[in-house]
Amino acid sequence: MSGKKSDPAPDRAELSGALGVDVEDELLERALTHRSYAYENGGLPTNERLEFLGDSVLGLVVTDTLFRGHPDLPEGQLAKLRAAVVNMRALAGVARGLGVGAHIRLGRGEEGTGGRDKASILADTLEALIGAVYLDRGLDEASALVHRLFDGLITRSAGLGAGLDWKTSLQELTAVEELGVPEYHVAESGPDHQKTFRATVRVGGATYGAGEGRSKKEAEQHAAEAAWNEIRRIVVEREAEQAGQAQETGQAQETGRAQEAGQRQAGQAAQAGA
């Protein structure tokens, strides 16, 4: 049977534990049913309707969080922030962290071409899971799930530059620090249907970061993030050292002035006594 080959491990407790919420069994199975599996098994219900619902719930919670958390940002910037959080690459990354791929019910074709790690399938399944939580447990539980999964990403996205991506932010930082233009070098490995890309980024002849991903773009973004964090660390340490030196210099000058004042007072007292 085609279903046996593509069935994930039967125990969903691991996935429920990763999500932090239990969902009714039949609804959970539907959320994990990709259309390729459904078509190969007699036209079962797919997760596409739940995906549609989950996309709306995710968008609502993220938009509400951004609106309340950034009262001074204009609509255009809020929209860019939301797009940096609610996109296929970001959702797929969250899904990988939860181990969602191992639980998806896939047809033989998708199974054979690495479908369990395809960004589009992972992102859609995560949205379907959010939709299932909303239907079974209500908006409060679904909202709590979204916050658990995405608050960190929202915070990181809010700290990026105007382009809301790590490559743009790295370029802005290296320009301010007059370090030069970042250069990316990418190597790939693995079979055609499941390639892995590794990127390194050099600035001014020095390597500051590296990253891996399922696409060249993803690998470069991860490398840029690592480089941005490393350069910021160097900048912060340098600024702290400079501030410490300035404080020491100021204290030394203050001590010198106090000594001079003391000497003048002593001299004046001596003259008065004479």
Side-chain angles (χ1 to χ4, degrees):
M1 294 288 291
S2 61
K4 289 183 179 179
K5 183 175 180 181
S6 55
D7 273 345
D11 183 9
R12 305 297 192 195
E14 183 178 349
L15 178 59
S16 296
L19 292 171
V21 60
D22 291 324
V23 180
E24 189 268 326
D25 290 344
E26 183 177 349
L27 199 57
L28 180 60
E29 290 302 307
R30 183 178 298 185
L32 295 168
T33 301
H34 186 257
R35 63 177 177 271
S36 62
Y37 181 94
Y39 295 159
E40 290 182 13
N41 289 272
L44 297 173
T46 74
N47 63 4
E48 292 177 351
R49 282 172 54 85
L50 287 174
E51 173 202 336
F52 171 78
L53 179 61
D55 175 68
S56 296
V57 174
L58 174 63
L60 170 63
V61 176
V62 171
T63 301
D64 179 74
T65 301
L66 293 172
F67 183 86
R68 297 177 188 277
H70 302 279
D72 298 326
L73 285 185
E75 179 271 340
Q77 192 70 0
L78 287 173
K80 289 180 179 180
L81 269 176
R82 182 176 58 192
V85 176
V86 184
N87 64 74
M88 182 178 67
R89 184 172 65 86
L91 267 64
V94 172
R96 289 191 184 101
L98 295 171
V100 169
H103 294 272
I104 301 174
R105 305 168 83 188
L106 287 176
R108 288 175 296 178
E110 286 291 355
E111 186 80 61
T113 56
R116 293 193 183 280
D117 198 52
K118 283 185 179 178
S120 59
I121 293 177
L122 287 169
D124 291 347
T125 304
L126 181 61
E127 288 181 332
L129 288 167
I130 294 171
V133 171
Y134 169 76
L135 279 183
D136 190 43
R137 306 297 297 270
L139 181 58
D140 287 345
E141 283 283 0
S143 177
L145 173 63
V146 171
H147 282 295
R148 285 196 299 274
L149 299 182
F150 290 92
D151 275 358
L153 182 58
I154 291 172
T155 300
R156 290 194 299 274
S157 297
L160 296 179
L164 291 174
D165 69 80
W166 288 109
K167 290 182 68 175
T168 300
S169 294
L170 177 61
Q171 188 166 336
E172 292 173 348
L173 179 59
T174 56
V176 170
E177 297 298 323
E178 299 181 349
L179 297 176
V181 178
E183 299 177 357
Y184 295 87
H185 303 272
V186 182
E188 61 181 65
S189 60
D192 288 340
H193 68 272
Q194 202 169 6
K195 283 188 178 297
T196 298
F197 295 83
R198 178 173 176 81
T200 57
V201 57
R202 295 173 62 84
V203 183
T207 300
Y208 285 96
E212 294 185 353
R214 297 300 181 183
S215 67
K216 178 180 177 182
K217 180 179 179 180
E218 183 179 5
E220 289 180 343
Q221 286 288 341
H222 288 164
E225 178 182 2
W228 188 93
N229 286 324
E230 176 62 13
I231 293 173
R232 277 296 301 163
R233 181 189 65 79
I234 294 171
V235 170
V236 169
E237 289 182 353
R238 184 190 67 208
E239 291 175 346
E241 182 179 353
Q242 292 173 344
Q245 291 174 348
Q247 185 177 11
E248 290 177 0
T249 300
Q251 290 175 344
Q253 292 175 343
E254 185 65 27
T255 300
R257 287 194 291 269
Q259 290 175 343
E260 290 177 0
Q263 291 172 353
R264 285 197 300 271
Q265 290 176 352
Q268 291 171 354
Q271 291 176 356

